[in-house]
Amino acid sequence: SSRSNTRNLAIVTGNKPILVVKVTDVNGLAVSESSAEIGDDVFGTLGDPVNLKSQLFGCSMKKLNITEGDQDDPSLTNGVPNGEGVAPGVMEITISVSLANETRATIRNAVTSAVQVAIGESLPGRYQQVMYVLQGCYVG
């Protein structure tokens, strides 16, 4: 069989559920913004007119709409399973490793594991994208 030289591009139209995760490390290191403020920056839920959602919607000629978590399941709190949604599309998680002393891979794996345990699902699962909000990563 011959392979086509065409690329398989992602479908970037329609409603795309996004889960945003505010991460706190073992030492309490986290971004200073509240989960509600983070949700506003991403989704405009508190009225921020310039946010990730508005920019993707505008740049896609109104074809891409990111949603605050899974809006199709009315049993979810703020679009997140197991009552973990603390703001629309946003959850908080504490990891057992340090942002200052661990590698990005270790941090990413710790966050992914903690989120999967908290929501009882594998990622990305019902979400098109999962965004981790970290205070910073300091080790390669």
Side-chain angles (χ1 to χ4, degrees), residues 22 27 31-33 39 41 43 45-46 50 61 75 80 101 113-114 116 123 128:
K22 179 180 178 181
N27 299 312
V31 295
S32 60
E33 293 84 5
D41 291 342
F43 303 112
T45 49
L46 297 178
V50 180
M61 310 284 262
S75 72
V80 184
N101 299 323
S113 294
Q116 290 178 153
L123 293 178
Q128 182 73 26

Side-chain angles (χ1 to χ4, degrees), residues 19 70 73 75-85 91 118-121 126-127:
L19 175 62
D70 181 359
D73 186 342
S75 72
L76 303 180
T77 303
N78 288 316
V80 184
N82 291 342
E84 293 289 337
M91 68 178 292
I119 67 172
E121 297 178 8
R126 64 178 75 217
Y127 304 101

Side-chain angles (χ1 to χ4, degrees), residues 18 20 39-45 51 53 66-69 88-90:
I18 305 291
V20 180
D40 192 37
D41 291 342
V42 175
F43 303 112
T45 49
N51 54 71
K53 179 177 183 152
I66 63 169
T67 62
E68 302 86 353
V90 183

Side-chain angles (χ1 to χ4, degrees), residues 46-125:
L46 297 178
D48 182 350
V50 180
N51 54 71
L52 180 62
K53 179 177 183 152
S54 70
Q55 297 307 294
L56 290 173
F57 190 69
C59 287
S60 68
M61 310 284 262
K62 301 181 179 181
K63 293 182 180 176
L64 174 60
N65 180 45
I66 63 169
T67 62
E68 302 86 353
D70 181 359
Q71 297 300 308
D72 293 333
D73 186 342
S75 72
L76 303 180
T77 303
N78 288 316
V80 184
N82 291 342
E84 293 289 337
V86 295
V90 183
M91 68 178 292
E92 297 175 354
I93 209 75
T94 300
I95 57 173
S96 60
V97 299
S98 168
L99 293 175
N101 299 323
E102 296 294 341
T103 65
R104 284 182 230 174
T106 299
I107 293 165
R108 182 180 55 249
N109 291 339
V111 174
T112 301
S113 294
V115 170
Q116 290 178 153
V117 167
I119 67 172
E121 297 178 8
S122 294
L123 293 178

